[in-house]
Amino acid sequence: MMAAFDVIVLGAGPAGATCAATAAEAGRRVAVIDEQPRAGGQVWRAPMGGFPGKGDADQASGDTLRRRLAASPATRRLGHRVWSVVRTDTGYRVDTLGPDGPTALEAPFLVVATGAHERVVPFPGWTTPGVIGLAAATVLLKSHGVVPGRRLVVAGCGPLLAVVAAGLVKAGTEVAAVVDIAPRSAWLTRLPAILGQPRLAARGLAWGFAVAKAGVPVLSGHGVRRVEGGEAVTRVVIGPVDADGAPTEGPEQIIEADGLIIGHGLTTACEVTRLLRAEHRFDRLRGGWIPVVDGAFQTSLPGLHAIGDGAGIRGQAMASLAGEALGWHLAGRMAEAEATRANMAAATPFSDAMAGLMAQRPAQVRAIAADTVVCRCEDVTRAEIDSAVDAGATQIDQLKHFTRCGMGPCQGRSCADTVQELMAARLRMSRQEVGQWTGRPPLRPVPLGEVIGAFSYDDIPIPTPAPL
Amino acid sequence: MSARHDLVVVGGGIHGCTVALMAARGGLKVALVERGALCREASGVNAGTLTLQMTRVALIPYALRAHAMWADAPNWLGHDVGVVVCDGLSLAFTEREEELLSYRAGKRREAGAPIELIGANAAREVEPGLGDGVRLAGHCKVDGYANAYLTGLAFHRALTDAGVTLMEHRAATGIEREEGGFAVQTAQGPVRGKRLVIAGGVWIEPMMAWLGVPLPIKVLVNQLAVTERQRPVMRTVIGIASGLLSLKQYPHGTTVIGGGWQGVGDRERGGVALMPERLIGNVRLACHAIPALKEARLARAWAGLEAETADALPAVGPIPGIPDAYVCGSVHSGYTSGPYLARLLADLILEREPALPLFPIDRLLPPQAGRAA
Ligand SMILES: Cc1cc2nc3c(=O)[nH]c(=O)nc-3n(C[C@H](O)[C@H](O)[C@H](O)COP(=O)(O)OP(=O)(O)OC[C@H]3O[C@@H](n4cnc5c(N)ncnc54)[C@H](O)[C@@H]3O)c2cc1C
Ligand SMILES: Cc1cc2nc3c(=O)[nH]c(=O)nc-3n(C[C@H](O)[C@H](O)[C@H](O)COP(=O)(O)OP(=O)(O)OC[C@H]3O[C@@H](n4cnc5c(N)ncnc54)[C@H](O)[C@@H]3O)c2cc1C
């Protein structure tokens, strides 16, 4: 079952697929794994299930990457979920569950390109059916052409607001309002950086134009106060917020809608580097905890590299460039690697500007009401988190034991950034000091029935019995 | 000179916490020094099984009394740790396991454990969730489990209420004997006591070395896995003849899968990684016993460190050659029996006659060791 490769790339988004193709084309034996049935990652999600796709620039870019990867000698393990990664004497072992059951791969080099998670900043009613994530909405639009409601409010922060609002307008859905936490000035101060990437700036402008043309009101400096409806969204209540996202005095507005699409930026999906105990540091601008890497994207562990949004939120352009540079590097083509890395510098101001708009706003988190559920898997409220701290919990792993926060199926992927911020605030400690939850397998909740595969009782390698 | 306590306990797991609690209630001025937070090592990450069918035969009389203590936790501990008392089954699927089970259940029964051997049909009446292939089962009505992760919170409250000086996040870096007692060295200064208990789990070995006592302690790296919430699929604690399975579903629906399969780790790094084949093996065994588990998803797996002496019996008693110093730990299935053994040691320290004999470590030391220190 074991296949030997020089490099395993985990994730076939812009970062991973580019890295895999580059290294494979240059002669390395590469395996690239992704749980999605097709490469492209989040930004270039392939259309699925008969949906022809939107035929837009993202789809074209994705198709180009998918063709390149397919034509390269890289072994593709798509539709394979990675649930365990361990360090071995000779490198790394990756265990996957795919259409053919459990498999394992080994290689001396492992590239982690697992992308980002959507950040949730809870508010009353955020678990109401009809509230969905901004990033998740992009996936629905891209892969399935599905619009999650008839009359929708799009709220939160960052560039995905415009992407989704424009996508909905194009799909003919009524967008009742776009509610942006950032004041207009936040975009204006970033204008120079944005204009430094004319192609991307033009796309942003087109999105804005589509929204404006449809007559959708855009409320800057506003945030969602609560969602009403109980069984399903009926009304979204918004109000003004300050530059840090905390509610300020001012009139509330009630918007009738049957859905709310909301997102407060992205956090790094760094579970693999965490699981392997690579060194991490907290970087608010880059989406939270990020693995510490050197110029060749190598983490503190030999042979373990991290690129793309999973190594710090920088967006697609930087993810692709990092994939290219690392691909060359792993193939021993240092000159090409260096040249590609130089291009990353040019793209940095834009990527920083976008990341800044998506970074967590501590004041917004601190304003979460006491009775609001923060960990939805285990139904833990903000008040329960605070009182656990008051009862003596001073470490993030201990908070879990006191409250069950982060113990559910998502294992803190959704709530970590918020919970850790709340704990740090209560303890008056830095996020770095409060730390992050210890990484453990599985990387995804996986059905036991799939983990065990087909077996006979006699094949179970039962160890020798404990002493009597 | 810092204040001298009557007793300093080093290590805040189930053993250290219970000794400290009982000694404080017995009237001593107690300090508890813990490197991290209370019960965040073995005592907070274990499977919480309170079972006689995995207990060493020599420990059965202790485990029986400890089981009663756990069932009564709200009274003596004062805080709920989710103890559920229920039936337990130890299964045999092969001829060899049948032999093993008959022999082991017999020995445990002789030692006082109320274990009966029953056939497959009777076993299925006790546990309707059982899969096919069971040939024989040990049935024990004194079984059950606790929510181990709640132990730290419960003891934090109980120790605070009892007036123990809790020194969390304070690692001992050395121990010195001095006039009238001991000085436990820490980065924040020494903690002094007339008497000393070493209750450092797998770290007992380096702690004893500070006193010049060579006590080898093996480090086991036990893997555990937990499923997401699921409809009720079992109602008992399930084990296997060899002892390499422990399984129970909590009232909120998650199932913890264990059995002492070994992962990667050591004293310095803790339990750092799980061996995927062993995790798969353990899960296969679990699904073989309770097939409906296959429907659930695996939410998380982890590894913790368990201590074992050369003869796999506890190290609980006075430290030879060092008056007023004691050790408490290395109890097999120590979450089950630990509170009772620790209480016995507290009795000894409080100069009350312990109801059952302790497990002094003289047997584990080379002749004359310790005395030189
Ligand atoms: C839901 C979502 C939607 C987004 N939509 C947009 C958008 O429309 N426009 C935009 O500019 N940016 C979007 N982003 C941000 C976007 O992810 C990045 O800027 C860009 O895609 C980063 O590329 P990447 O290669 O680093 O990661 P990604 O593109 O996220 O690729 C990571 C890949 O790793 C795979 N993976 C992760 N863990 C595992 C595992 N355990 N087993 C197997 N496979 C695994 C994932 O399936 C994914 O394909 C979105 C982010 C998210 C989370
Ligand atoms: C994964 C796993 C599953 C298990 N399942 C079961 C089960 O189902 N049923 C059962 O009965 N038993 C079970 N056990 C065994 C049981 O958990 C242990 O026997 C018991 O918890 C040991 O308690 P302890 O107090 O001796 O050690 P620990 O709980 O390890 O406590 C030792 C303490 O010493 C502290 N310490 C270490 N160094 C220093 C220092 N330098 N200064 C200060 N403090 C220090 C540590 O931080 C730690 O808190 C399991 C064990 C493991 C690991």
Side-chain angles (χ1 to χ4, degrees):
Chain A
M1 275 221 286
M2 296 267 184
F5 295 95
D6 299 321
V7 182
I8 297 171
V9 179
L10 209 177
T18 305
C19 178
T22 306
E25 286 159 3
R28 287 286 180 261
R29 290 172 306 159
V30 179
V32 55
I33 312 172
D34 202 297
E35 62 186 334
Q36 294 302 321
R38 302 183 63 194
Q42 302 293 11
V43 55
W44 294 335
R45 276 254 184 169
M48 282 200 275
F51 173 58
K54 303 199 299 166
D56 60 4
D58 281 341
Q59 194 179 340
S61 304
D63 287 344
T64 304
L65 182 63
R66 284 184 278 275
R67 273 196 300 272
R68 179 180 172 198
L69 186 64
S72 85
T75 300
R76 285 167 296 151
R77 290 280 173 92
L78 303 180
H80 284 254
R81 226 170 320 156
V82 173
W83 65 276
S84 160
V85 178
V86 293
R87 226 179 135 183
T88 66
D89 295 340
T90 52
Y92 297 88
R93 169 184 162 142
V94 174
D95 279 71
T96 74
L97 292 176
D100 311 322
T103 56
L105 304 179
E106 281 192 30
F109 293 94
L110 175 64
V111 174
V112 181
T114 46
H117 297 304
E118 190 149 36
R119 177 187 299 111
V120 173
V121 182
F123 52 86
W126 72 282
T127 57
T128 309
V131 178
I132 78 162
L134 200 51
T138 71
V139 173
L140 282 181
L141 283 166
K142 282 176 199 183
S143 289
H144 308 278
V146 169
V147 171
R150 293 210 167 108
R151 183 178 151 86
L152 299 164
V153 173
V154 180
C157 59
L160 284 179
L161 271 179
V163 180
V164 171
L168 292 173
V169 165
K170 199 172 166 212
T173 312
E174 186 183 353
V175 178
V178 172
V179 183
D180 188 355
I181 280 193
R184 246 174 247 284
S185 60
W187 288 92
L188 289 176
T189 53
R190 287 173 173 85
L191 210 52
I194 293 171
L195 293 175
Q197 293 280 304
R199 193 178 56 84
L200 298 171
R203 282 180 67 190
L205 213 62
W207 288 325
F209 185 66
V211 172
K213 202 174 130 212
V216 176
V218 177
L219 293 121
S220 297
H222 278 68
V224 171
R225 293 273 160 91
R226 63 187 178 277
V227 160
E228 294 176 353
E231 297 287 296
V233 177
T234 56
R235 307 197 309 172
V236 178
V237 181
I238 67 166
V241 295
D242 66 18
D244 294 326
T248 53
E249 297 226 348
E252 289 185 347
Q253 293 180 50
I254 295 168
I255 308 172
E256 309 281 336
D258 65 354
L260 168 65
I261 299 179
I262 187 158
H264 292 110
L266 302 172
T267 66
T268 49
C270 58
E271 294 100 316
V272 177
T273 47
R274 217 144 47 82
L275 180 65
L276 291 167
R277 309 279 185 272
E279 191 187 327
H280 288 73
R281 65 186 172 82
F282 182 76
D283 184 338
R284 197 180 296 283
L285 176 67
R286 301 262 170 254
W289 286 95
I290 60 173
V292 175
V293 295
D294 66 12
F297 312 99
Q298 182 175 285
T299 66
S300 59
L301 300 179
L304 180 67
H305 297 260
I307 49 171
D309 275 358
I313 308 294
R314 288 181 178 82
Q316 170 271 320
M318 293 287 270
S320 297
L321 286 168
E324 187 90 28
L326 179 56
W328 289 124
H329 179 88
L330 291 171
R333 302 268 288 269
M334 297 311 166
E336 286 94 336
E338 203 37 65
T340 313
R341 253 201 311 263
N343 291 337
M344 293 181 76
T348 299
F350 177 81
S351 120
D352 283 0
M354 292 302 118
L357 289 166
M358 291 196 291
Q360 188 194 46
R361 293 165 166 80
Q364 185 192 8
V365 173
R366 283 198 294 268
I368 294 171
D371 57 355
T372 300
V373 168
V374 175
C375 164
R376 76 185 294 180
C377 295
E378 293 295 331
D379 251 336
V380 183
T381 62
R382 192 231 161 115
E384 286 168 302
I385 291 164
D386 287 347
S387 57
V389 172
D390 298 344
T394 56
Q395 303 169 326
I396 191 70
D397 280 319
Q398 196 184 9
L399 182 84
K400 186 178 205 166
H401 277 196
F402 278 27
T403 59
R404 286 193 66 84
C405 187
M407 273 204 203
C410 101
Q411 287 292 307
R413 276 182 287 276
S414 309
C415 63
D417 206 22
T418 301
V419 173
Q420 290 164 16
E421 187 64 38
L422 286 173
M423 193 169 186
R426 192 86 176 172
L427 287 166
R428 294 173 196 285
M429 280 158 75
S430 70
R431 285 288 299 272
Q432 186 78 34
E433 286 171 295
V434 166
Q436 50 177 347
W437 278 317
T438 306
R440 301 283 188 203
L443 295 163
R444 292 281 190 273
V446 284
L448 296 193
E450 283 181 38
V451 172
I452 61 179
F455 70 97
S456 88
Y457 187 73
D458 301 329
D459 295 338
I460 304 178
I462 299 179
T464 43
L468 184 64
Chain B
M1 176 123 178
S2 54
R4 193 190 297 274
H5 303 268
D6 296 325
L7 175 68
V8 178
V9 178
V10 186
I14 190 77
H15 291 106
C17 285
T18 311
V19 173
L21 182 65
M22 298 301 174
R25 289 191 183 153
L28 301 188
K29 202 167 123 243
V30 181
L32 176 58
V33 180
E34 164 58 51
R35 180 185 58 177
L38 295 184
C39 299
R40 293 280 309 129
E41 297 292 346
S43 302
V45 305
N46 67 70
T49 314
L50 307 173
T51 176
L52 303 178
Q53 299 204 73
M54 285 173 75
T55 294
R56 305 281 327 269
V57 169
L59 286 176
I60 293 284
Y62 302 82
L64 271 167
R65 288 165 176 80
H67 194 283
M69 258 176 102
W70 276 121
D72 189 40
N75 283 320
W76 66 269
L77 185 53
H79 301 278
D80 189 21
V81 285
V83 174
V84 171
V85 174
C86 63
D87 290 297
L89 292 176
S90 177
L91 308 175
F93 291 109
T94 63
E95 210 177 309
R96 151 137 174 79
E97 285 173 1
E98 251 182 297
E99 284 163 22
L100 201 61
L101 181 65
S102 309
Y103 179 71
R104 294 187 154 217
K107 288 285 178 198
R108 291 191 170 110
R109 197 183 158 82
E110 280 169 30
I115 300 174
E116 312 250 11
L117 289 174
I118 59 176
N121 289 340
R124 200 156 287 113
E125 271 171 39
V126 177
E127 176 53 77
L130 284 184
D132 296 334
V134 175
R135 298 166 68 113
L136 188 71
H139 175 214
C140 184
K141 285 188 177 300
V142 186
D143 216 307
Y145 52 87
N147 268 323
Y149 69 83
L150 293 172
T151 324
L153 177 59
F155 271 103
H156 199 284
R157 291 176 178 155
L159 291 165
T160 307
D161 291 348
V164 171
T165 307
L166 269 185
M167 299 177 172
E168 288 180 288
H169 308 290
R170 190 156 173 178
T173 54
I175 299 175
E176 271 140 42
R177 298 172 68 181
E178 57 179 25
E179 185 62 35
F182 302 86
V184 174
Q185 303 300 333
T186 75
Q188 298 94 325
V191 183
R192 302 197 139 86
K194 290 186 199 131
R195 275 166 284 188
L196 170 76
V197 171
I198 289 184
V202 298
W203 299 274
I204 282 178
E205 181 174 321
M207 290 179 186
M208 295 291 280
W210 292 332
L211 292 169
V213 180
L215 178 66
I217 299 285
K218 273 183 277 183
V219 176
L220 310 180
V221 189
N222 295 342
Q223 297 190 166
L224 286 182
V226 64
T227 71
E228 66 182 349
R229 294 172 190 223
Q230 184 188 16
R231 69 183 169 93
V233 297
M234 59 185 296
R235 51 165 292 269
T236 58
V237 171
I238 297 291
I240 186 170
S242 58
L244 290 153
L245 176 67
S246 95
L247 203 59
K248 70 269 173 188
Q249 186 175 21
Y250 284 84
H252 59 254
T254 67
T255 298
V256 170
I257 302 170
W261 296 58
Q262 298 294 290
V264 182
D266 51 49
R267 250 182 216 122
E268 283 67 45
R269 299 175 301 162
V272 284
L274 283 89
M275 305 273 269
E277 296 101 332
R278 294 191 188 152
L279 186 55
I280 292 170
N282 199 178
V283 171
R284 282 180 170 172
L285 202 51
C287 292
H288 190 73
I290 305 285
L293 283 175
K294 282 187 235 167
E295 300 159 12
R297 290 186 304 171
L298 180 64
R300 186 173 171 92
W302 65 94
L305 305 186
E306 182 172 10
E308 192 175 274
T309 62
D311 63 5
L313 287 174
V316 180
I319 298 175
I322 306 182
D324 296 324
Y326 307 84
V327 58
C328 190
S330 274
V331 179
H332 189 267
S333 283
Y335 190 73
T336 305
S337 307
Y340 185 72
L341 281 155
R343 193 167 94 181
L344 291 179
L345 182 65
D347 283 339
L348 183 77
I349 294 169
L350 291 165
E351 290 166 24
R352 301 170 183 157
E353 181 67 22
L356 287 178
L358 297 171
F359 292 84
I361 59 170
D362 307 64
R363 69 185 202 281
L364 301 166
L365 301 178
Q368 290 308 306
R371 251 138 287 209

